[in-house]
Amino acid sequence: MNGRSNPFTKPEDRSLTDQDILRSIQQGDERTYETLFRHYYASLCQYGFSFLKDWEDAEEIVQSVFVTIWEKRQSLTIETSLKSYLYRAVHNRCLNRIKHLPFRRNTSSTSLPKPTPRKLRPRR
């Protein structure tokens, strides 16, 4: 997981599987949920920022993904790895945010060339 040591270990030093982590969260284990959040939060925010170019929006999306996981934990089914699921959820929400953003013009209207009126020719 991101090249760091696995924060999900049992006292007997056996790493938890994604299914163990998911099952623990489904049972309401706030400590496991918080560990998952802390482990992925920064990298997911960076991933979201790569789409949105706005840190606040990226953080908001990542937080909403984690809130949804907690709120739907009892019915949540994840067929892929937790990491893949989290990145795909952030990816999809970023694309939805972009799709619903109003069009933003990067240049001011004063720097745009003024249209030149064209004379209409009479039809023959």
Side-chain angles (χ1 to χ4, degrees):
M1 291 185 185
N2 287 346
R4 295 177 271 185
S5 64
N6 186 348
F8 301 103
T9 56
K10 289 186 174 180
E12 59 269 12
D13 203 28
R14 183 177 66 85
S15 291
L16 296 174
T17 66
D18 283 355
Q19 290 305 313
D20 293 334
I21 295 165
L22 181 58
R23 192 171 16 261
S24 183
I25 291 171
Q26 287 171 330
Q27 294 170 354
D29 185 345
E30 293 179 18
R31 186 169 166 223
T32 300
Y33 173 76
E34 183 179 343
T35 302
L36 182 70
F37 178 86
R38 290 181 186 277
H39 186 70
Y40 285 107
Y41 182 77
S43 60
L44 288 171
C45 285
Q46 289 173 342
Y47 184 63
F49 179 78
S50 72
F51 289 98
L52 303 171
K53 307 300 183 219
D54 184 294
W55 281 110
E56 288 179 14
D57 285 349
E59 287 182 321
E60 181 183 319
I61 282 177
V62 171
Q63 290 168 9
S64 73
V65 165
F66 278 101
V67 167
T68 300
I69 287 172
W70 185 254
E71 289 175 344
K72 299 182 182 222
R73 68 187 177 275
Q74 293 175 332
S75 62
L76 191 61
T77 304
I78 298 176
E79 301 295 327
T80 63
S81 70
L82 281 170
K83 181 178 180 178
S84 294
Y85 177 86
L86 291 169
Y87 276 88
R88 178 52 61 186
V90 169
H91 178 263
N92 290 343
R93 289 186 188 208
C94 285
L95 293 181
N96 285 337
R97 174 71 56 95
I98 291 167
K99 184 167 83 172
H100 293 100
L101 281 176
F103 176 73
R104 292 185 195 168
R105 198 175 285 259
N106 289 336
T107 58
S108 69
S109 60
T110 57
S111 66
L112 296 175
K114 294 186 179 185
T116 55
R118 295 186 341 190
K119 292 184 180 180
L120 295 177
R121 296 182 191 179
R123 290 185 135 177
R124 294 183 188 189

